[in-house]
Amino acid sequence: MNDQFEPVIIGFTCNWCSYRAADLAGTARIKYPPNIRLIRLMCSGRMDPTFVLKALAEGADGVMITGCHPGECHYLDQNYKALRRVLLLRRTIGQMGIEPGRVKLVWASAAEGVRLAQEIGHFVEEIRDMGPLNWPGRLAAAHVNGHGRDDRLMPADMMLEEVPA
Amino acid sequence: MNDQAEPKERIGVYVCHCGSNIAATVDVADVAVWAKERLGDEGVVITHDYKFMCSSLGQELIERDIKEEGLTRVVVAACSPHLHEKTFRTACARAGLNPYLCELVSIREQVSWVHSDRQAATEKAKAVVAGGVERVIHNEPLEPLHIPIHPATLVVGGGIAGIQAALELADSGHQVYLVEREPSIGGHMAQFDKTFPTMDCAACILTPKMVDAGGHPHIDLFTWSEVVRVDGFVGNFTVTIRQKPRYIDTDLCTGCGICWEKCPKRVIDDVYEAGLGYRKAVYTPFAQAVPKYPVIDPENCTYFINGKCRACEKFCPTDAIKFDQEEEFITVQVGNIILATGFDLFDARRVPQYGYGRLANVFTSLEFERLCNAAGPTNGQIVMRDGVTKPELVAVIHCVGSRDRNYNNYCSVICCMSSLKFAHLVKERTGARVYNFYIDMRTAFKDYDEFYQRVLEEGTIFVRGRVAEVTDAARLPSEDGKLIVQVEDTLAGRQRRIPVDMVILSAGLEPRHDAKAVAHQFGISCSANGWFIERHPKLDPVATMTEGIFIAGTVQGPKDIPASVSQGAAAAARVLGRINKGEIELEPVRATIDARHCSGCRICNGLCPFNAIIFHEDAMVSEINHALCQGCGTCVAACPAGAISGSSFSNEQIMSQIEGLLLFDRPVRSRHFSAV
Ligand SMILES: Cc1cc2nc3c(=O)[nH]c(=O)nc-3n(C[C@H](O)[C@H](O)[C@H](O)COP(=O)(O)OP(=O)(O)OC[C@H]3O[C@@H](n4cnc5c(N)ncnc54)[C@H](O)[C@@H]3O)c2cc1C
Ligand code: SF4
Ligand code: SF4
Ligand code: FES
């Protein structure tokens, strides 16, 4: 392979539409870049913003969240909640110095294998253009530089900390 | 995480070749060897690659390892979980391992079939396997939920689909509540004269079914009624039905018809007569109505409007008219619900260039059905809007509002056939010359194409092309006083102007105007087009995502009568299976609130689409009803106290899967692994 940057992307799919779209892309042998690795959730409403932070903190360069089209969520309208969360999350990561474009929301119905594959292709290119995120590296560097932060205080882990009632 | 500590679990990883489907693109043997080496610290004790994991030999391999090697977790890397998750879980269960301790990760649909670079695909397959391994460690043994089923069923909508469903259930001895909004059951089919392709009379085949349903000892029929409230969940719904006042005492009424004979108020009948005929303010929609009792429509009744008249009351021989009747609310318990609320006809006014509503002799398909119905406003005479003139030239336009980006993209399925039916009826009854304008002729299904051949032989002229315009602006003397159909004949490759006397628009089928509200009431969803969504478009067309709610007939999408009837019967069969079993098993993908951590903030309460979360005022904590919860996980993601966990999709499972997927990409070493 040449030495172009190969981003690593985590994709969250909902069980009913976008995961099936991914299945369909497979059945139809539609090719897309191997940079994305998918996780199945029951619904995009299950998307906890900390999952995204976790993925970025573990070394992903981008995160793609996919769900059913508005009005087609199999749990009525949970994808609207996902939409709200993603908008908020993009603002939050922006404030952390991460390009908001590293988190993308895509609607794909179970019939849209082609579209999902195309969206993945576009997203890989977008992230390739942004370059590596290297969040873990940056955090470790901050630690080495004596900023007093250690691994335990990585933002994702912070959010994971259980808050007692 | 368990740095350096002895792994808790004994995990088996099975990598499938799927013949060459996976093996051609992914080095499966390498993945298996790698998993054993690299994921040993995570507890992977045994790995295999095998030609066909789903074969009985493949499954036996897993079963043997569980028994002999004492596996406590299983990861299969093969096809999509939607295909074979159940297969491998069942295999695990046979060997005594809780089925939910098995994960199927997809390296076929998501790797080998969508990538071509062998090295990259193999690397991705490894990451996917590592994700599965990390996740499965946190899987918990689960038991399916057992929910008892109340043996009564609610059927909403008394069209042919609902009637069929109700009869199937009632005939097998189970109680059915059939709720219909109109004064009579029958639905659209009751409006037709003849039905394609056999051209048997609609009333002759429908009436016996309506009568059966009306008199059935196991069917409680609620017409002129609507469901106003649905509580509970599969197995035990509590449904409140609003029975609108008929202003008729049905115990006294004999259906003699004197009241509507005497009623002085004529009203245009937009529903049953499609606006083409009249009814009275007290009426039954048609002669064979079931039940036979009329209703008084208070919006049009003179007595309700200005306090005078009561003619019906004076003449009723049994004193059945009761102007003081009030609406009633009836509450019933049912285990399952079948929705069969049907379709609305596309409003042809939305295509202004076809002139419906502006040009008198443009008719809709339903108007035409009434026009040729012997019991219709013209006693079956096919005449123009003036009520006397027989048309000599008739145009039938297919696909009005269907297969058209401006209106509905989908094909309404029945309109080609009903257009052919119209052509046949016009020819037979008037001898007129008939033009059918079609885009593509869709006559699939039994005996349909034969019917098309018959209509061709009868001499109907078929013009292929989407009609651009219907106009009364004549350009030639021969067009004077005619309607001119302007069309590009795509077979002849030229524009044509065809003068006719009458135009019939075969309008498409649309979801009911209130489909969204009904879907919401019953907790199911609509597609972007508005049709109710089935659980699976091919393999589960009458179930929905909400347990206990089934759909049948045109609510699910455009279809003809045979298909509507089949779905009615299919939905009934699904319900019967549950009634007979007495209970159902539900996938334990559910959310649970740990009361010790719940702060009582109630954030989750309003988020749940199924109202599954109840709040205990006394203890100030929320709780999830597992029969209602469908496991979407929205509340899990939202709880600020982290008090809610979702089985099968817990935070630990997902977080670990993320770690696993990225285990070998981390530029910095944070775990006890080194990068590949
Ligand atoms: C012009 C035309 C001609 C056709 N000709 C033929 C033909 O010749 N042969 C053929 O096979 N098919 C034909 N069809 C198709 C046929 O009409 C349908 O397949 C069939 O009527 C569908 O039945 P259904 O029970 O699903 O819906 P519907 O007939 O629409 O019945 C639904 C019922 O539910 C009731 N309802 C609606 N909402 C509610 C609510 N919220 N609460 C309670 N009740 C409610 C309605 O009042 C109605 O009674 C034709 C269709 C059209 C438009
Ligand atoms: S969101 Fe969490 S803390 Fe708030 S009521 Fe629901 S379970 Fe309790
Ligand atoms: S998981 Fe979804 S369906 Fe279940 S209680 Fe939570 S919000 Fe409701
Ligand atoms: S089920 Fe797909 S977004 Fe909700």
Side-chain angles (χ1 to χ4, degrees):
Chain A
M1 258 195 244
N2 55 17
D3 48 3
Q4 83 168 336
F5 163 55
E6 289 299 342
V8 176
I9 291 164
I10 294 289
F12 291 95
T13 56
C14 88
N15 187 45
W16 304 105
C17 293
S18 46
Y19 194 88
R20 284 171 203 266
D23 274 358
L24 183 65
T27 321
R29 313 293 199 277
I30 297 158
K31 303 289 180 231
Y32 56 82
N35 306 57
I36 192 161
R37 299 163 193 178
L38 299 181
I39 293 183
R40 179 166 61 124
L41 302 175
M42 286 306 274
C43 172
S44 64
R46 177 68 181 90
M47 191 51 235
D48 188 329
T50 56
F51 295 166
V52 178
L53 297 177
K54 171 80 174 175
L56 297 176
E58 290 286 330
D61 300 295
V63 174
M64 185 158 164
I65 297 145
T66 64
C68 314
H69 282 278
E72 289 185 21
C73 170
H74 285 246
Y75 305 95
L76 306 185
D77 53 5
Q78 306 309 298
N79 45 5
Y80 288 100
K81 285 153 198 163
L83 173 65
R84 272 185 264 160
R85 285 177 191 153
V86 168
L87 292 177
L88 210 62
L89 181 69
R90 283 164 61 112
R91 281 245 292 276
T92 314
I93 60 170
Q95 283 160 0
M96 291 168 148
I98 300 173
E99 298 88 336
R102 290 191 187 269
V103 176
K104 184 170 186 174
L105 182 64
V106 168
W107 306 133
S109 80
E112 293 178 326
V114 176
R115 213 176 78 83
L116 184 69
Q118 282 168 351
E119 290 286 351
I120 292 173
H122 293 156
F123 192 51
V124 170
E125 286 316 311
E126 283 160 29
I127 299 293
R128 208 193 297 282
D129 289 345
M130 280 180 222
L133 171 62
N134 192 18
W135 202 15
R138 285 199 230 169
L139 284 158
H143 177 53
V144 171
N145 291 343
H147 284 250
R149 273 192 270 166
D150 72 2
D151 257 12
R152 295 267 333 131
L153 289 182
M154 284 191 338
D157 285 3
M158 235 160 75
M159 321 251 337
L160 270 176
E161 207 60 23
E162 194 173 297
V163 183
Chain B
M1 236 138 264
N2 51 338
D3 274 82
Q4 310 300 0
E6 267 296 293
K8 287 205 310 275
E9 306 298 344
R10 293 178 63 76
I11 306 170
V13 173
Y14 301 85
V15 187
C16 185
H17 296 216
C18 193
S20 64
N21 278 305
I22 298 173
T25 320
V26 171
D27 187 340
V28 280
D30 181 36
V31 174
V33 170
W34 172 91
K36 175 118 191 229
E37 269 172 25
R38 293 302 188 121
L39 298 170
D41 289 351
E42 300 300 287
V44 173
V45 290
I46 196 156
T47 66
H48 284 290
D49 61 282
Y50 191 74
K51 268 260 172 261
F52 287 106
M53 280 309 301
C54 62
S55 67
S56 45
L57 288 176
Q59 295 182 47
E60 279 161 24
L61 188 65
I62 301 178
E63 290 170 50
R64 198 192 61 215
D65 286 352
I66 292 173
K67 290 189 200 135
E68 291 177 6
E69 304 289 331
L71 297 185
T72 61
R73 295 286 190 277
V74 168
V75 173
V76 185
C79 53
S80 166
H82 286 155
L83 229 65
H84 273 312
E85 187 171 68
K86 205 158 187 181
T87 311
F88 296 116
R89 283 185 170 171
T90 313
C92 289
R94 275 199 303 270
L97 185 68
N98 184 289
Y100 296 92
L101 300 178
C102 167
E103 274 294 326
L104 173 56
V105 293
S106 168
I107 57 166
R108 191 179 72 172
E109 285 81 351
Q110 289 179 18
V111 181
S112 68
W113 277 352
V114 287
H115 307 318
S116 11
D117 182 307
R118 190 171 167 85
Q119 191 193 339
T122 305
E123 290 310 311
K124 177 168 168 183
K126 288 177 184 173
V128 168
V129 167
V133 166
E134 292 293 329
R135 178 186 179 116
V136 83
I137 295 172
H138 299 277
N139 281 22
E140 281 176 79
L142 300 170
E143 294 300 329
L145 303 165
H146 294 269
I147 311 280
I149 298 290
H150 190 292
T153 306
L154 172 75
V155 178
V156 186
I160 188 61
I163 292 174
Q164 185 69 29
L167 284 175
E168 300 276 0
L169 287 161
D171 283 346
S172 61
H174 298 290
Q175 176 65 36
V176 175
Y177 304 101
L178 177 55
V179 177
E180 165 60 51
R181 180 147 69 186
E182 297 296 328
S184 169
I185 55 173
H188 281 101
M189 192 177 164
Q191 294 174 273
F192 308 155
D193 183 40
K194 296 278 193 286
T195 53
F196 62 72
T198 45
M199 300 308 275
D200 34 6
C201 128
C204 313
I205 55 179
L206 177 63
T207 312
K209 282 202 182 270
M210 289 168 49
V211 172
D212 273 1
H216 205 290
H218 295 307
I219 298 181
D220 277 0
L221 185 55
F222 298 92
T223 50
W224 204 232
S225 300
E226 272 166 1
V227 171
V228 288
R229 208 188 146 92
V230 185
D231 291 306
F233 41 86
V234 57
N236 200 359
F237 292 101
T238 304
V239 178
T240 311
I241 300 163
R242 181 170 83 102
Q243 166 100 65
K244 291 178 273 184
R246 281 188 120 87
Y247 304 108
I248 306 287
D249 184 335
T250 52
D251 289 336
L252 299 176
C253 175
T254 59
C256 69
I258 291 178
C259 53
W260 64 83
E261 208 172 282
K262 297 295 178 190
C263 174
K265 183 68 179 278
R266 275 202 334 161
V267 183
I268 293 179
D269 184 352
D270 293 322
V271 180
Y272 183 69
E273 294 291 5
L276 214 56
Y278 295 89
R279 59 168 169 86
K280 294 294 185 66
V282 53
Y283 71 105
T284 59
F286 49 102
Q288 308 88 332
V290 170
K292 62 189 174 199
Y293 319 115
V295 297
I296 295 178
D297 148 24
E299 274 169 33
N300 288 297
C301 165
T302 321
Y303 172 68
F304 278 101
I305 294 169
N306 58 26
K308 283 204 243 3
C309 182
R310 302 181 88 133
C312 51
E313 194 181 32
K314 268 176 235 133
F315 289 99
C316 175
T318 60
D319 290 331
I321 309 280
K322 299 282 178 244
F323 280 108
D324 57 356
Q325 212 174 51
E326 287 184 9
E327 64 182 6
E328 265 183 73
F329 291 91
I330 303 109
T331 302
V332 297
Q333 300 292 125
V334 296
N336 293 281
I337 297 174
I338 299 173
L339 300 177
T341 49
F343 65 94
D344 277 341
L345 196 71
F346 172 81
D347 179 3
R349 282 186 185 80
R350 287 170 58 198
V351 193
Q353 64 271 31
Y354 290 174
Y356 178 68
R358 181 164 49 83
L359 303 172
N361 287 310
V362 178
F363 290 79
T364 66
S365 43
L366 269 184
E367 281 179 330
F368 181 78
E369 290 285 354
R370 297 310 301 152
L371 210 54
C372 57
N373 192 309
T378 59
N379 301 320
Q381 300 297 311
I382 298 177
V383 287
M384 313 220 307
R385 206 67 81 164
D386 64 8
V388 286
T389 318
K390 276 208 165 124
E392 287 169 7
L393 298 162
V394 176
V396 184
I397 304 181
H398 295 217
C399 294
V400 176
S402 309
R403 307 182 64 205
D404 185 336
R405 200 174 306 191
N406 301 311
Y407 308 102
N408 294 310
N409 279 329
Y410 56 80
C411 167
S412 288
V413 180
I414 56 98
C415 341
C416 276
M417 280 303 288
S418 64
S419 302
L420 294 173
K421 169 171 81 173
F422 301 157
H424 169 79
L425 287 171
V426 171
K427 264 249 142 39
E428 184 185 70
R429 308 246 174 116
T430 68
R433 176 193 274 262
V434 186
Y435 297 91
N436 272 45
F437 299 90
Y438 68 104
I439 311 176
D440 296 295
M441 190 59 70
R442 299 199 164 168
T443 52
F445 306 118
K446 190 173 176 184
D447 294 337
Y448 283 13
D449 210 59
E450 289 86 333
F451 186 70
Y452 174 32
Q453 298 305 327
R454 175 174 161 192
V455 175
L456 270 172
E457 279 158 24
E458 285 169 358
T460 293
I461 301 155
F462 287 88
V463 180
R464 185 172 181 277
R466 188 186 279 285
V467 170
E469 189 187 20
V470 176
T471 173
D472 57 355
R475 285 193 207 151
L476 303 167
S478 62
E479 295 177 354
D480 267 347
K482 299 276 184 201
L483 294 171
I484 303 104
V485 180
Q486 169 84 45
V487 64
E488 183 192 344
D489 184 332
T490 56
L491 293 182
R494 62 187 173 95
Q495 290 289 334
R496 292 177 71 177
R497 285 170 66 84
I498 299 175
V500 296
D501 301 314
M502 180 189 229
V503 172
I504 305 166
L505 304 179
S506 277
L509 312 193
E510 281 199 331
R512 288 269 176 202
H513 60 280
D514 59 350
K516 282 232 154 68
V518 173
H520 191 75
Q521 181 176 46
F522 291 92
I524 62 169
S525 33
C526 298
S527 70
N529 291 325
W531 303 107
F532 290 178
I533 298 183
E534 59 280 25
R535 183 174 273 259
H536 190 283
K538 282 171 252 170
L539 304 181
D540 213 350
V542 296
T544 68
M545 277 308 303
T546 303
E547 284 297 345
I549 312 279
F550 296 87
I551 52 180
T554 44
V555 269
Q556 182 249 2
K559 56 179 65 64
D560 56 11
I561 294 166
S564 302
V565 170
S566 309
Q567 284 205 337
R574 294 293 300 275
V575 170
L576 268 176
R578 294 184 163 184
I579 297 174
N580 285 352
K581 204 168 173 216
E583 63 164 35
I584 58 160
E585 272 189 8
L586 296 184
E587 273 281 293
V589 179
R590 294 293 183 269
T592 309
I593 297 177
D594 183 341
R596 289 168 307 171
H597 292 302
C598 173
S599 68
C601 71
R602 307 192 63 169
I603 284 176
C604 58
N605 294 196
L607 286 176
C608 176
F610 306 102
N611 297 322
I613 312 182
I614 42 169
F615 186 67
H616 296 291
E617 295 281 354
D618 43 350
M620 292 295 281
V621 289
S622 294
E623 190 191 342
I624 292 172
N625 181 332
H626 277 180
L628 276 178
C629 170
Q630 308 279 323
C632 72
T634 304
C635 60
V636 187
C639 174
I644 314 182
S645 58
S647 57
S648 282
F649 290 88
S650 68
N651 281 348
E652 292 74 22
Q653 282 172 296
I654 296 163
M655 291 293 192
S656 306
Q657 189 174 6
I658 297 173
E659 282 178 14
L661 285 173
L662 296 168
L663 209 48
F664 298 98
D665 299 287
R666 295 200 54 168
V668 193
R669 219 173 64 95
S670 81
R671 302 170 54 94
H672 49 285
F673 291 97
S674 54
V676 253

